[in-house]
Amino acid sequence: MSDEMKSFEALEQRLNDRKTEYDAMPVPDAEAYQAVQAGIRQAARKRKSRLRWYMSSISAAAIILVFTGCIRVSPAFASFVEQLPGMEGIVSMIRQDKGLMMAIDQSLLQKVGVTDEHDGASMTVDSIITDESRMVIFYTMKGMKDLEKGGYDIDLLDKDGKKLPVGFSYSSPKPASEGGVYEDKIDVSFTESLPPQELTVVFKERGKQSHNKWKVTFSVDRSLTKGMKKIIPINQILTVDGQRIHVKQAVLYPTRLVLDIEYDPNNTKKIFGIRDLQLVDEQGRAWRTDSSSISGSGSSVFFESMYFSTPKKLTLQGSGLSALHKDELVISINLSSGEIQGGPSSLKFLKSKAQGKDLVIEFSIADSQDAISGLSFTNIKDSKGAPLDIKEIGWSPSVSEARIVIKNAAAAKGNLTMEIFSYPEQSRSPFSIEIPVTP
């Protein structure tokens, strides 16, 4: 019998146990139907309703067990569940992350259900899942006016009201549903500290004339994943396109795997990224990368977690590098003629123009379609050596063009010097190494 069949049979047994408990409840038929429907809506939208939560706790648990358990056994079942009323939101948020699905199936999702409401609009933090490395915050916005047009900023605060020393990402709001409901998540990375025991999430409406904000405070249970961090030493050297890369270790958490790598300081190129990086297990399943934090010396690469489905074998694979020779990193641009001195031969100046007090410069990069990184700069200085700051960076991979907006530089004359911080230069150098699975 395969592992998947064993997992499915175990799931069926759990569901049968829940059904037995549910059948024993003294609830009339009409109320039973309403409780099941409430449970489905509760699992999908996690609304703050204590009475409905009490009446539908068992049915909601059964729905979640079916959903999170079977979704990794049968993608067809995931598609079916997605069509159930109210379930499409939660499916779309986690179906692409096998590690999060398994963590939720292991009862690591913490229900929050705290709402801030005023002026006919509300923001609710529905639930979170967290460990020492990552926190995913699931939230719902309701009744916001022109949600997709206005935009919102988010702050994460500790118990003293100070901003957390974390990196986090979230999507710009999309058009809400017909009922004015929008659901999404905030993905938080902890690098300098552990998750706080108390967290405040602040949504601030953008716009000079707007002072609207929604503020939710809740406690975080860190005990659910305490002691679950696993460090797997690797200590192997890769040579890719002539560049040495030290694969130091993997750190496995319930929500993700963090692969720590370091670039040899004696490399002739600056590495901006590694192409098509993935972990592949003995069944051929690819555990995808979510994001990475790249510096000049190395990188922490984040993968889906296989914490609750430990493979027998893992292989780290990639197809090459995004890198540039170190003697091509600094360029000088004559703003009058558009001439570029230094830099790679594939970099071409298109045009420059004033945009209010700012300066806009546009470039093209040959043969950079489908690049894993775009063009950006650092250490920008005018002809007198005064530092300038970048206000905005745009990259269009389909046409291989970049747009750089430099703050308060419209009046700049002569040459600008700039150091390339990332560049879509690509090399094809496939590689693979074996990664130990157990610490």
Side-chain angles (χ1 to χ4, degrees), residues 46 109-113 125-129 136-139:
K46 307 180 183 72
L109 189 71
Q110 300 182 36
K111 179 177 170 58
V112 178
V125 172
D126 301 303
S127 56
I128 64 170
I129 186 166
V136 182
I137 304 169
F138 299 96
Y139 67 90

Side-chain angles (χ1 to χ4, degrees), residues 46 274 326 340 402:
K46 307 180 183 72
I274 303 175
K326 291 180 179 179
I340 298 178

Side-chain angles (χ1 to χ4, degrees), residues 228-242:
M228 296 181 73
K229 171 182 175 181
K230 297 179 181 179
I231 299 177
I232 303 172
I234 301 173
N235 196 28
Q236 295 189 47
I237 301 294
L238 275 171
T239 300
V240 184
D241 191 28

Side-chain angles (χ1 to χ4, degrees), residues 230-275:
K230 297 179 181 179
I231 299 177
I232 303 172
I234 301 173
N235 196 28
Q236 295 189 47
I237 301 294
L238 275 171
T239 300
V240 184
D241 191 28
Q243 312 305 304
R244 288 167 56 86
I245 302 171
H246 182 195
V247 184
K248 301 170 67 177
Q249 66 178 16
V251 186
L252 186 57
Y253 301 92
T255 65
R256 69 183 178 190
L257 180 144
V258 182
L259 186 68
D260 291 332
I261 65 176
E262 186 176 67
Y263 306 135
D264 192 322
N266 296 318
N267 284 341
T268 59
K269 294 182 177 181
K270 179 179 179 180
I271 300 173
F272 305 115
I274 303 175
R275 291 181 53 84

Side-chain angles (χ1 to χ4, degrees), residues 178-189:
E178 292 182 2
V181 176
Y182 171 74
E183 297 172 306
D184 214 328
K185 65 181 184 299
I186 307 167
D187 208 326
V188 186
S189 291

Side-chain angles (χ1 to χ4, degrees), residues 288-331:
R288 68 185 180 94
T289 57
D290 181 45
S291 60
S292 61
S293 176
I294 300 175
S295 66
S297 59
S299 173
S300 291
V301 187
F302 305 141
F303 293 85
E304 294 173 289
S305 175
M306 63 287 296
Y307 194 98
F308 299 107
S309 178
T310 306
K312 297 177 182 177
K313 176 183 176 183
L314 273 179
T315 303
L316 179 67
Q317 299 179 351
S319 64
L321 301 178
S322 173
L324 201 62
H325 283 282
K326 291 180 179 179
D327 58 6
E328 296 178 330
L329 295 176
V330 178
I331 67 172

Side-chain angles (χ1 to χ4, degrees), residues 120-135:
S122 67
M123 190 276 286
T124 301
V125 172
D126 301 303
S127 56
I128 64 170
I129 186 166
T130 188
D131 53 32
E132 295 180 19
S133 176
R134 181 187 185 192
M135 177 187 291

Side-chain angles (χ1 to χ4, degrees), residues 25-91:
M25 291 179 66
V27 182
D29 291 344
E31 288 181 309
Y33 175 79
Q34 293 175 0
V36 171
Q37 295 303 310
I40 293 175
R41 292 193 296 272
Q42 180 81 19
R45 302 200 182 274
K46 307 180 183 72
R47 291 288 177 263
K48 186 182 181 183
S49 175
R50 293 184 180 178
L51 177 60
R52 187 164 59 187
W53 172 255
Y54 174 77
M55 292 295 294
S56 63
S57 60
I58 293 179
S59 56
I63 287 292
I64 292 175
L65 271 173
V66 171
F67 171 57
T68 60
C70 290
I71 197 168
R72 32 183 180 120
V73 176
S74 171
F77 183 80
S79 298
F80 166 74
V81 174
E82 193 172 22
Q83 297 176 33
L84 292 175
M87 292 297 288
E88 67 277 1
I90 193 170
V91 173

